[in-house]
Amino acid sequence: MSEETKSLNFIEHIIEEDLTNGLEASKLRFRFPPEPNGYLHIGHTKAIGISFGLGEKYNAPVNLRFDDTNPAKEEQEYVDAIKKDVAWLGYQWENELYSSDYFQQLYDWAVLLIKQGKAYVDSQSSEAMAEQKGTPTQPGVDGPYRNRSVEENLELFERMKAGEFNEGDHILRAKIDMQHPNMLMRDPIMYRILKKAHHRTGNDWCIYPMYDWTHGESDYIEQISHSLCSLEFKPHRELYDWFKEQVYEYSKNTYPMLPKQREFARLNLSYTIMSKRKLLKLVEDGIVNGWDDPRMPTISGLRRRGYTPESIRNFIERVGVAKRENVIDVSLLEFCVRDHLNKTAPRVMAVLDPLKVVITNYPDDKVEWLEAENNPEDEQAGSREVPFSKEIYIEKADFKEEAGSKFFRLKLGGEVRLKNAYIIQANEVVKDTNGNITEVHCTYDTDTSKKVKGTLHWVSIKHAVEAEVREYDRLFMDEAPDSHQDKDFMEFLNPNSLNITKAFVEPSLKEAKVGDRFQFQRLGYFNVDNDSTSNALVFNKTVGLRDTWAKQKPQEKPQQQNKPKPQQQRKAINVIQQLGKKYTNYPEDKQAKVKSEILDLANEVSYDELEPLFGTAVKKVGTRIAAMLTLKVLLANGLEKNDAINAFIEKALEDKNALLVAEAKAL
């Protein structure tokens, strides 16, 4: 078996087998069939990626077909949003189609089924029908209208279509087997009366086909070769096949190919709701500000938050195609966007929680424009100029009057480097009547070759542009908020999912446009929100520079007092070494999880603890990667590069391991 054959997923194996058995490659055709009753969410991206990905792989057409069979819940707004989302992800469909295009054909086929005694009009109440249907372990029983004559059924069905009856008076059912072990085969409903206007057909119809009847026949009309859907539709496959086999007898000359339905595991994401009904409740109850709220898992929400099409497609590729349901850690999605933005987002300086710094020995009216690199990951990104003056803002968290050896930022008597500028030393503080520090007075040194441990970002106060920053967190605090039978998913809402602050950004951002993405140095990745104007910038936080969620998870209940005390906790650096040992052996999703743990633990490591790992043997790649990840956090926290750090990075860049090289390049 070739390497290429081994790498095929199970759906590709099915297609390859069909091609081997005589299916012409020119007959391959796929579709993505959303129901326009809500916005697409991250779960849909897997189905989108599979169908359109197969289209790209086999150079086959892919239809975008809207299964619009329920006018009570469907709207043109959703159609437009779905088209925008699929196009934004970078996919092109062959045809834009609608199940409503086939209403007449479906009706004509239903009449033929009635004439063959394979469908009938049932006039019972829904409660009576449910009682007769039985249970998974108990067979159903025939209803009183099951043996109506063909003539009576045709007359009633025609009168249903003409609007003579009220909703609920009659339905059309397929006549299959009320004792069938698959409950979906127990005379399923084909048509119901709905006196509601359709977003495309208006009031032309007052009977509408059910999903199971419409979906498979739409595939058949479009001559879809492989109908791919998620696992919950596997029990429906038998009914899918029964319906298409019936209509095949009527139309095999016009539509010679029967579609093949196959199922894959849908995408489940931790800390996320995937139900469109529940997402709609969040919108309707005002928990979020619409379907495109950046906290929503909708594609429009992710786009507004600053996610990129490339990062989502990379995420879907990493998740892969599986036959069994599983839950993917949301940190993998965050890793993918972080990884892409690291390569593409320009670096800028912004201060979210400002503390005023006065450089006492800098001339009052002097302004210097200093060169700053836009993106060290992109050689073509170039540079820009940022203004420097006597008074600047730094982050409050970057200064302490007194601090220990693990604090690489500014403290009284200590020195730090200002990014792209000078080295400053803190000499004294100014406090208000409550003892809060309002200013730090420093002196600067023009000798930038000095060795200092910390580097801070900053913004010149005179040139700073005020902006609103919306910092988003996960919308739910539980890993599976809709999995608790005894609790409503709304109970797990995160009350701190949105924090709005006033920030100050460098003046180059005055020209930023809606959708532009940036790395606020040492803070995270941000993009310009739709609400932004030329006079009032608004930024959304897309994702931090590292995963900090582990710190926020609820702690386990404390042990009872009569239990022995746990042993002294291992040092963070030792845990990091242990995690690194098998890092390269893990699959990608496990690597992302371990990487997140290492980045979190790195906050508890001092440089003196880390430096000995720089000499790790070449063959211990996992440990070297763990050390590189830890170094990344220390540098983000303000550690200044030195000769030992530079040598460690340079050695890693020469390594044969792609993972290590990638992490080294990021530094």
Side-chain angles (χ1 to χ4, degrees):
M1 184 180 289
S2 69
E3 290 297 319
E4 183 178 355
T5 305
K6 286 181 183 178
S7 66
L8 296 177
N9 62 53
F10 80 94
I11 292 176
E12 291 169 339
H13 275 294
I14 290 170
I15 295 172
E16 291 293 334
E17 185 178 348
D18 290 341
L19 293 172
T20 301
N21 291 335
L23 176 65
E24 297 177 29
S26 61
K27 300 294 185 184
L28 288 176
R29 184 178 293 272
F30 309 99
R31 87 287 179 267
F32 172 59
E35 296 178 66
N37 59 0
Y39 281 59
L40 297 181
H41 54 62
I42 185 65
H44 293 110
T45 59
K46 184 173 183 179
I48 296 171
I50 289 174
S51 292
F52 281 97
L54 289 170
E56 292 174 354
K57 178 180 177 69
Y58 292 101
N59 193 28
V62 183
N63 292 339
L64 175 61
R65 183 183 75 238
F66 294 92
D67 280 341
D68 54 345
T69 62
N70 187 355
K73 295 184 177 180
E74 296 159 357
E75 298 178 19
Q76 186 62 39
E77 174 193 351
Y78 298 140
V79 171
D80 295 339
I82 289 169
K83 289 164 59 178
K84 181 177 180 181
D85 289 344
V86 174
W88 177 76
L89 285 170
Y91 298 112
Q92 293 183 332
W93 52 88
E94 180 78 7
N95 302 293
E96 179 185 327
L97 301 169
Y98 298 81
S99 290
S100 54
D101 294 337
Y102 315 132
F103 279 175
Q104 186 62 51
Q105 177 65 82
L106 292 168
Y107 176 82
D108 293 342
W109 279 338
V111 169
L112 291 174
L113 284 175
I114 293 173
K115 289 180 177 179
Q116 285 195 319
K118 294 180 179 179
Y120 65 96
V121 174
D122 197 337
S123 306
Q124 299 180 88
S125 67
S126 58
E127 292 79 12
M129 284 186 281
E131 188 175 338
Q132 291 164 1
K133 198 165 187 178
T135 68
T137 57
Q138 181 180 357
V141 296
D142 293 354
Y145 301 105
R146 195 171 192 268
N147 294 315
R148 270 176 165 154
S149 67
V150 169
E151 293 74 20
E152 186 179 4
N153 283 320
L154 287 172
E155 179 193 0
L156 286 170
F157 191 46
E158 177 61 31
R159 291 172 65 192
M160 286 169 60
K161 178 177 180 289
E164 293 185 25
F165 302 114
N166 295 322
E167 293 184 7
D169 284 354
H170 306 284
I171 58 169
L172 183 72
R173 300 177 72 172
K175 194 174 185 178
I176 306 178
D177 182 1
M178 287 299 291
Q179 286 77 47
H180 200 287
N182 183 347
M183 290 187 67
L184 294 170
M185 300 294 285
R186 296 178 188 175
D187 291 9
I189 301 173
M190 295 176 64
Y191 276 90
R192 78 287 203 198
I193 301 170
L194 271 179
K195 294 191 174 181
K196 294 179 173 62
H198 189 277
H199 71 99
R200 294 188 72 246
T201 62
N203 294 306
D204 292 350
W205 296 84
C206 63
I207 56 170
Y208 289 95
M210 299 298 290
Y211 181 86
D212 276 328
W213 166 237
T214 311
H215 178 76
E217 310 330 293
S218 298
D219 285 345
Y220 177 53
I221 292 170
E222 294 172 19
Q223 289 291 275
I224 300 302
S225 61
H226 297 81
S227 174
L228 308 173
C229 51
S230 48
L231 278 178
E232 62 262 35
F233 289 98
K234 189 168 186 177
H236 295 249
R237 192 202 293 183
E238 193 171 8
L239 180 56
Y240 180 97
D241 290 342
W242 189 89
F243 275 139
K244 74 181 181 185
E245 286 161 6
Q246 307 312 310
V247 300
Y248 181 72
E249 294 303 315
Y250 313 139
S251 307
K252 55 188 173 185
N253 293 329
T254 306
Y255 306 116
M257 184 170 64
L258 286 172
K260 176 185 286 188
Q261 176 178 307
R262 290 297 180 265
E263 306 82 19
F264 55 85
R266 66 180 180 178
L267 173 60
N268 298 302
L269 204 61
S270 64
Y271 297 98
T272 309
I273 291 288
M274 295 294 193
S275 163
K276 281 194 281 188
R277 177 179 58 83
K278 293 177 179 178
L279 292 175
L280 177 60
K281 180 174 175 59
L282 294 174
V283 174
E284 292 179 337
D285 289 0
I287 304 299
V288 294
N289 300 314
W291 285 97
D292 68 343
D293 187 298
R295 291 166 291 182
M296 289 280 274
T298 55
I299 296 175
S300 56
L302 293 169
R303 177 170 61 244
R304 185 170 179 182
R305 185 159 174 169
Y307 275 73
T308 62
E310 295 86 351
S311 64
I312 294 175
R313 290 178 68 155
N314 181 28
F315 170 69
I316 295 304
E317 186 176 339
R318 285 171 176 266
V319 169
V321 182
K323 293 183 179 181
R324 293 183 179 180
E325 295 281 5
N326 61 344
V327 178
I328 305 299
D329 196 320
V330 69
S331 63
L332 178 60
L333 175 62
E334 294 166 345
F335 165 80
C336 289
V337 70
R338 190 182 289 117
D339 184 61
H340 184 243
L341 291 177
N342 179 55
K343 300 180 180 71
T344 59
R347 275 53 165 166
V348 296
M349 291 193 289
V351 176
L352 305 191
D353 189 15
L355 174 62
K356 184 177 180 179
V357 170
V358 180
I359 304 172
T360 55
N361 63 334
Y362 195 87
D364 291 347
D365 298 324
K366 184 177 180 181
V367 174
E368 292 180 85
W369 289 85
L370 307 175
E371 185 177 14
E373 189 176 22
N374 285 332
N375 188 343
E377 296 294 312
D378 182 1
E379 295 180 358
Q380 307 301 318
S383 62
R384 69 192 186 286
E385 290 189 329
V386 293
F388 184 80
S389 61
K390 183 183 182 73
E391 296 181 346
I392 62 173
Y393 285 134
I394 64 170
E395 299 285 350
K396 281 183 182 176
D398 282 343
F399 176 77
K400 289 183 179 179
E401 286 188 84
E402 297 180 4
S405 61
K406 294 180 183 178
F407 188 76
F408 302 118
R409 289 163 274 179
L410 187 62
K411 56 188 174 183
L412 277 181
E415 290 182 313
V416 294
R417 186 184 306 277
L418 297 175
K419 184 72 176 175
N420 306 308
Y422 300 106
I423 293 171
I424 59 172
Q425 181 180 54
N427 303 312
E428 61 178 324
V429 297
V430 177
K431 298 182 179 181
D432 61 19
T433 54
N434 296 320
N436 299 313
I437 298 173
T438 58
E439 292 183 13
V440 180
H441 288 188
C442 300
T443 51
Y444 85 110
D445 192 335
T446 56
D447 181 9
T448 57
S449 64
K450 291 172 61 176
K451 299 296 182 182
V452 294
K453 283 191 174 181
T455 300
L456 305 184
H457 64 277
W458 52 275
V459 175
S460 167
I461 294 178
K462 184 184 297 184
H463 306 88
V465 177
E466 188 174 317
E468 178 181 304
V469 170
R470 300 170 182 174
E471 295 186 86
Y472 294 99
D473 205 343
R474 296 175 188 174
L475 191 55
F476 294 96
M477 301 179 70
D478 187 86
E479 288 191 72
D482 58 349
S483 66
H484 304 269
Q485 294 183 355
D486 57 336
K487 292 184 179 181
D488 187 86
F489 75 100
M490 300 283 275
E491 295 182 37
F492 301 103
L493 284 167
N494 179 5
N496 301 312
S497 61
L498 172 59
N499 179 43
I500 300 177
T501 59
K502 182 176 74 172
F504 294 94
V505 301
E506 66 175 67
S508 68
L509 291 174
K510 282 182 180 178
E511 307 302 320
K513 301 293 187 296
V514 170
D516 286 351
R517 305 177 184 93
F518 302 92
Q519 183 197 100
F520 288 1
Q521 290 185 309
R522 300 179 62 240
L523 297 175
Y525 296 97
F526 295 76
N527 80 310
V528 184
D529 185 71
N530 301 357
D531 293 338
S532 193
T533 67
S534 57
N535 298 320
L537 285 172
V538 180
F539 289 93
N540 296 322
K541 184 174 183 179
T542 306
V543 67
L545 293 178
R546 59 182 183 275
D547 184 6
T548 58
W549 182 254
K551 288 187 173 183
Q552 303 172 34
K553 287 183 180 178
Q555 297 296 314
E556 295 182 4
K557 293 181 179 179
Q559 294 180 337
Q560 297 179 359
Q561 291 184 353
N562 58 352
K563 290 188 177 182
K565 293 183 180 179
Q567 294 182 353
Q568 187 175 2
Q569 191 174 3
R570 295 172 64 194
K571 283 187 174 182
I573 191 65
N574 295 333
V575 178
I576 288 172
Q577 283 181 274
Q578 188 67 34
L579 290 170
K581 284 182 179 179
K582 297 182 180 180
Y583 186 87
T584 55
N585 297 329
Y586 294 136
E588 287 185 340
D589 57 341
K590 182 67 179 294
Q591 278 183 356
K593 188 173 182 180
V594 171
K595 181 175 180 177
S596 175
E597 292 180 44
I598 293 172
L599 293 173
D600 185 58
L601 287 165
N603 289 288
E604 308 301 324
V605 175
S606 69
Y607 175 72
D608 292 338
E609 292 174 317
L610 175 64
E611 188 176 12
L613 293 187
F614 292 173
T616 300
V618 173
K619 65 180 181 179
K620 296 182 178 180
V621 179
T623 303
R624 295 167 70 202
I625 292 173
M628 194 68 69
L629 292 170
T630 306
L631 177 60
K632 180 179 182 179
V633 173
L634 267 59
L635 292 172
N637 287 341
L639 177 67
E640 178 79 4
K641 286 184 180 179
N642 57 32
D643 292 341
I645 292 173
N646 290 331
F648 176 57
I649 295 173
E650 288 172 10
K651 185 176 180 181
L653 290 171
E654 298 171 356
D655 201 89
K656 296 179 180 179
N657 185 277
L659 291 174
L660 178 59
V661 173
E663 296 300 343
K665 282 184 176 179
L667 301 183

